[in-house]
Amino acid sequence: MNISDKFKKFLVSSLLLILSFSLPVSAATNYPYPTNYKYVNDYVGILKSNEIETIISLGKELEDKTGAQSIIVIVDTTDDIPIENYAINLFRSWGIGQKNKDNGLLILVAINDRNWRVEVGRGLEGAIPDALSNRVMQSLAKEDFKAENYSSGIIKSYSAFTDLIANFKQIFKYINSKGSTRNIT
């Protein structure tokens, strides 16, 4: 083997090594497929049928009125993937929200990890900025989650988020109908 062949092998090996570190985490992660319930995806069996029906009803009403989608995903664990990465990759791979409006919201709860994450599409950031999503989860879900009453915390926070989105859409629609210039007299 001459020096040129050794150099080529070194370059190929280096390139493969660099590519293996630059691949996104999602390439190696098997995310669950959405369930038939659309708005609620409970892979742990935490929610009762009446709670699932409540969430579906709220989610459908929100989507019918505003076009926004609010989705709940409950998993055992994110398999040592930081919940922020897991949530954003799940959000993107499922295509939550309308494609051209990016108006989706994901509540991800990882039971065994004892962690949650709210991911908000850009089209809803005005309605639900990060500080507000954190405040909703801290005030409405945290204590229930600590007491392992996950279904209560999930329903309370989901209901609050759907109300916030619906109210924001109504206010935004009202403001847009009034125009942007007004005389003060």
Side-chain angles (χ1 to χ4, degrees), residues 114-165:
R114 301 186 61 76
N115 209 348
W116 76 77
R117 173 76 179 178
V118 177
E119 200 62 48
V120 179
R122 287 192 175 122
L124 291 180
E125 286 177 342
I128 305 176
D130 290 342
L132 180 57
S133 69
N134 187 50
R135 187 175 308 135
V136 167
M137 294 303 287
Q138 290 287 335
S139 64
L140 298 178
K142 185 177 179 177
E143 290 304 315
D144 284 329
F145 286 2
K146 278 183 170 181
E148 297 186 4
N149 188 4
Y150 297 103
S151 58
S152 176
I154 288 168
I155 290 173
K156 286 178 192 175
S157 58
Y158 187 83
S159 179
F161 285 126
T162 57
D163 286 348
L164 287 167
I165 294 167

Side-chain angles (χ1 to χ4, degrees), residues 2-185:
N2 62 30
I3 292 179
S4 149
D5 289 338
K6 287 182 180 179
F7 184 69
K8 286 179 188 175
K9 283 188 175 191
F10 171 76
L11 283 177
V12 169
S13 298
S14 298
L15 182 61
L16 289 173
L17 184 62
I18 290 168
L19 285 174
S20 70
F21 284 112
S22 66
L23 289 175
V25 173
S26 62
T29 303
N30 291 320
Y31 293 104
Y33 290 102
T35 66
N36 292 334
Y37 295 124
K38 185 177 183 178
Y39 306 105
V40 58
N41 302 269
D42 182 0
Y43 301 100
V44 182
I46 297 274
L47 301 172
K48 297 176 185 150
S49 62
N50 63 323
E51 295 165 333
I52 291 170
E53 289 172 15
T54 297
I55 293 168
I56 291 170
S57 176
L58 290 170
K60 182 168 177 9
E61 181 180 1
L62 177 70
E63 188 169 8
D64 288 348
K65 288 183 177 179
T66 69
Q69 293 178 348
S70 183
I71 309 296
I72 295 173
V73 177
I74 307 166
V75 295
D76 279 325
T77 181
T78 61
D79 293 321
D80 295 325
I81 298 170
I83 197 159
E84 297 83 4
N85 296 354
Y86 192 98
I88 191 68
N89 287 327
L90 184 66
F91 188 93
R92 289 178 181 159
S93 70
W94 283 17
I96 298 172
Q98 294 169 310
K99 186 175 184 175
N100 58 342
K101 295 184 179 181
D102 195 16
N103 58 351
L105 178 133
L106 167 67
I107 302 173
L108 172 65
V109 180
I111 302 298
N112 290 337
D113 298 344
R114 301 186 61 76
N115 209 348
W116 76 77
R117 173 76 179 178
V118 177
E119 200 62 48
V120 179
R122 287 192 175 122
L124 291 180
E125 286 177 342
I128 305 176
D130 290 342
L132 180 57
S133 69
N134 187 50
R135 187 175 308 135
V136 167
M137 294 303 287
Q138 290 287 335
S139 64
L140 298 178
K142 185 177 179 177
E143 290 304 315
D144 284 329
F145 286 2
K146 278 183 170 181
E148 297 186 4
N149 188 4
Y150 297 103
S151 58
S152 176
I154 288 168
I155 290 173
K156 286 178 192 175
S157 58
Y158 187 83
S159 179
F161 285 126
T162 57
D163 286 348
L164 287 167
I165 294 167
N167 290 334
F168 178 79
K169 293 291 184 178
Q170 287 298 96
I171 292 167
F172 191 72
K173 187 176 179 181
Y174 175 77
I175 290 170
N176 284 338
S177 72
K178 296 299 179 187
S180 59
T181 56
R182 304 289 277 179
N183 291 333
I184 302 174
T185 55

